[in-house]
Every structure is written in structure tokens, then in C-alpha cells.
Amino acid sequence: MSEIVGRSRRNSIELVGAKAGTAMPAEMRQALNLRGLVPASVEDFTKQEMRAYQQLMSKPAGLERYEFLANLRCINVNLFFRLVMNHFKEIAPIIYTPTVGEACLNYSHIYPFIYPCHTSVGLFITLNDVDNIDSVIENYCQSMTEHNNPEITVITDGSRILGLGDLGINGMAIPIGKLQLYVAAAGLNPARTLPIVLDFGTDSKKYQNDPLYLGTRQPRPDDETFYDATGKVLSALYRAFPDLLVQFEDFSTDHAFGLLDQWRNKALCFNDDIQGTGSVILAGFISAVEQAGVSPTDQRILFAGAGSAGVGVAKQLVEYVMLEYNISEEQAKAMFWFVDSRGMITANRGDKLATHKVYFARHDNGDTQCSNLEEALEYVKPTALIGLSTIYKAFSEKILNRMNELNQTARPIIFPLSNPESKAECTFEEAMRCTNNRVLFASGTAFPEYTIPETGEVRVPAQGNNMYVFPPIGLGATLCKPTHITDTMIYAVSKALANSLDEKERARGELYPRIERIRDVAARLTAAFITQAVHEGNVRDQHWVDIVEANMPEGANTKAVSGLFTKRVLGEVKALMWEPASSVEQYMFEAITFENPDEF
């Protein structure tokens, strides 16, 4: 027994020593027979981070910075997340949008050089693996140096990555990046995250013919095969990890809605493209309406793009208007118009509408049909224009100028939400110039600040990025373990996000909190999520039921969705958020304690 314990302790020291790097204490170097084999200087974590940041900033291009960070993530998880959290505004656009889009396009070409790991970065599941999926999952568990069951997975099949289309296995960069944001923004444990790509083929001729493409070179399966295979994978994951939260990511529109409809009421899961996007845009819309000069129920909202994200956003807004202003579903739905590649979506347009588009098809247009966005703009005369079309410059200067003309007595709401930037409907500068600086603006990708030439005033664009909402939804779900995630729980997150603006942000007319505050904001949104889940009687962890019921927020009741929470719940959430170790001593103690809990 002593031999096993000794070997275990030795393995722990080697593991910790390898990850401590240049901060490895002298006595540990001596124990590992490294004296004379490494530089003599023993550094602290601050110097490690300084060196890593300097190296990152020395890289001239976004993809090079992505590769550096991916490498660092494998070599030293602790250092990686200290760097991300302390420089979040700079690094988030590298590990996620927009740079992750470039990484996806090049993923098969750079993969062997960015993961110097002895363990897998996630699961790559082919159709041939599906009938042996339990053994595949067991392989993954055996490969992990830290034997933690995953508590969250982001899963994609790469069929609709950002606005880039069918990228196949190259879409794996998205689950990896999103899980890094779950950790950095909301404090999930990085050792308990699992990225998954369903490598079921690709319909892209480019990748089928690319000699360096790492995925399966076959067309995608038919719907019956897809749903059968995906169902087997999800069932196996829930068997292996009963408390697992599954986040669906970047599936084709029909499959995104199909999977969510199949699983949302029987398992712990959500779709960020549909529900997360809707949640964050709802929060921005709530803030924008407060400043627009038009009452919420008088808004006329025109969507450019009718995919899963666009319809998901609109449905969240419909639910909000119904609940908040006590109007019928038909009245709320009548506030929305959609334009797709064939024009304004109407019930009598003459083509067969995709299932998810039918809900918002207009029945009140008579004989009027609009073949494009410009015609729809003149017909609808919108107060708000929302873009999820993935069409670059879809909001031309002509359209932006017309939005300004149509809203002379109120401020126009313009949300170009497609990303990356190469797919954005317009820029912040264009929207500001064409609306005489009156626009209420939020985008899906980051744009630079704009200085008003006449006054020198600097305006900061709001970014309606899902990273505000999916990390707290993930943390809330993994902490309180609801049986499933409801629309009202996500609605509570939206209201909490709109409520989280501080006095300075409100005074500047901003629609979202500054991204530098994302960790604190995530804790607040998590507290709101858990509080709402307890109100709905949907929580399996009695610990959270006891805390929330003993600390009910003022002004909240069990029927309304308030987004409120108490300091007691917030404090408990913050105490459970993972953070990287701040010192070598803390890091060593936590790592060795984890490996040998019975000895401490």
C-alpha cells in the first residue's frame, strides 16, 4: 500500500511540477532530478503571466495569437486562464469570435501544432463510432489525467459554423472556445468541460477534396440517420454522466430546432444559437426600448434573416412582450416581420416555408409582397431593424439613412448581429453617420469606438455577444441541477442582464455592461437563474432550494419573472466559481490534495 501511495505522490509531484513550469520550487526540482537541467531562476506566477502576455502581443496576426493560446492551454491551464481573465477584453476575441472563425477555416491544417497534449482535447465521434459509443466515452475517461466527470459539454456537428457554413470537423474550435469562456467568464471548472464534434461528414466539396482535411470524407447523412445517431450519442452521455449539461452549438437550422424540441423537456440541455442569442438580444432590447422614445408594444421590428438564431431571438421577444405587458400572443407576434432570401415572409408568398418560419409568416399583407429588404423597409416602416442574415453590408447606407428618416421623433434601434465581422450587416461607424449619431446600436461582433467629429465625444458600441448569457446559464444549471431549462429561466437571465448596468453605464446610454465586468455580471445572472429555477420547483439540489427559499428577494413572487436575487444567493454563487491559483503554493496544494484526498 505504501508503495502505491508513494507512486501516487510521485506522479502528483511530476504533474504539478510540469505545469508549474519556471515557478517550480527548488526542492521540487531537486526531487525530480532536474537540477542543472532547467534555468536556475525560480519565478512567481506574475512573471510567468508577464512573459506570456508579451509573447502573445508580439504575434502580428490573430491566427498566430490563437495558436499561441491554444498551445499554452495544453501546457499550463492555470497560466492560460490567469492570462485570459486578467486580459479578457483583449483575449476573448481571439479564443472566440471573430478570430475563432479563422481558426475553424484552418483547423485541419493547424491541429497537429496547437495541441501538444498527452490527452485528448475532446471527443471526435464518427458515424462508425456510434454503435460503440460507450467504449468511446470510456476511452475519453481513461485518457484524462484528472479523473473528473464532465459537468458540461458543448456539442456541434460543424454544419453551420458562425456565418461560415458547413465546416465539418473544423467546427471543433467552436466548442473548445465556448468552454473556455464558460470557465473564464463564469467560473466553471476547466477539468470538467468536454468539447464534442459529431464528425458525421460534410457536404462541402472544398473539404471533401482537401488532402489535409482531418474529418470524414463523405456527404452528411439523411435526417433519419442523423437523429438516430445523435440520439444514441446523447443517451450514452447522459448514462455515463447523469448530471451533464449539454449545450447544442452550430447545427443546421432544422436540426438545431429538431434536437432542442426532442430533448429540452426530458434532459438538461439548451441551444445557445436559439436560446442564448435570444436572451442576450432581449436584454439589449429592454435597455434600448427604455431610451428609444417608442413604447415597447408600439415597436415595429423587422428581421433580416430567418434562420434558427433570428427566429429564436424573435420568439424570446414575443415571450417578453406577452409576460411584461400582458398582451396576447397574437398581438405580440404582430409586432414582427421577417425577410429571408426570397423576400418578406408571408403565408401567401407562393413557396413552401420551412417549418420554423411558419410561426412568423404574415397573414395581413393582402396582395402585397416584398422581394427584398428595401421593399420591406418601406412597407413595414420599422422602429427596429435586426440583422441575423450573415450577409455583409446587408444594411446599406441607403437602408440606414431611410431608418433615420422613418424615426425622426424617436431613436432607431439597429442591431447587426451576424458575426464574424466579414458577415456583419453594417458597422458601428456606418450606423452612427447615417443616423446623425442617434442610433441605439448592438452588434454580434466587436467594433471600435466612434468619435463624433463635431463634438469629439467618444461612443462605445454595444456588443450583443452571447458570452454574457451562456456562461451563467451553464454555471446555474451545473450548480442547482434543474430537471430541464425553461424559457422563463432564460428570461430571468435576460432581465438580470438588463438590470446589471451600473450608474455610469446607464448615464452613457449603454445597452450592456462593460465587458471588463463580465465575471461579476455572470455571478449575478447565475444567481437570477438559480432563483428562478427554485421558484419554478425545478431544482434537484436541495442546498439551493433551502438557500433561495430562506432568502426571497423583495419584489419577487413565484408567478412573475423578475430576474431578482438576494446577496446571500449571489455570495454562495461567487464562492463556488472556479479561479486559477494565484500562487505556486496554492496551486501545488490544490493539485496534490486532489490526487491524494485521503492524506490531507
Side-chain angles (χ1 to χ4, degrees), residues 195-217:
I196 299 177
V197 62
L198 301 177
D199 180 18
F200 289 177
T202 176
D203 290 333
S204 168
K205 298 297 182 185
K206 173 184 175 182
Y207 296 119
Q208 288 178 8
N209 297 326
D210 181 355
L212 298 182
Y213 178 63
L214 289 171
T216 302
R217 299 170 188 275

Side-chain angles (χ1 to χ4, degrees), residues 396-397 400-401 404 429-437:
S396 64
E397 291 200 3
L400 294 171
N401 283 324
N404 188 49
E429 179 181 353
E430 291 164 349
M432 288 288 285
R433 283 193 291 101
C434 293
T435 62
N436 297 323
N437 310 314

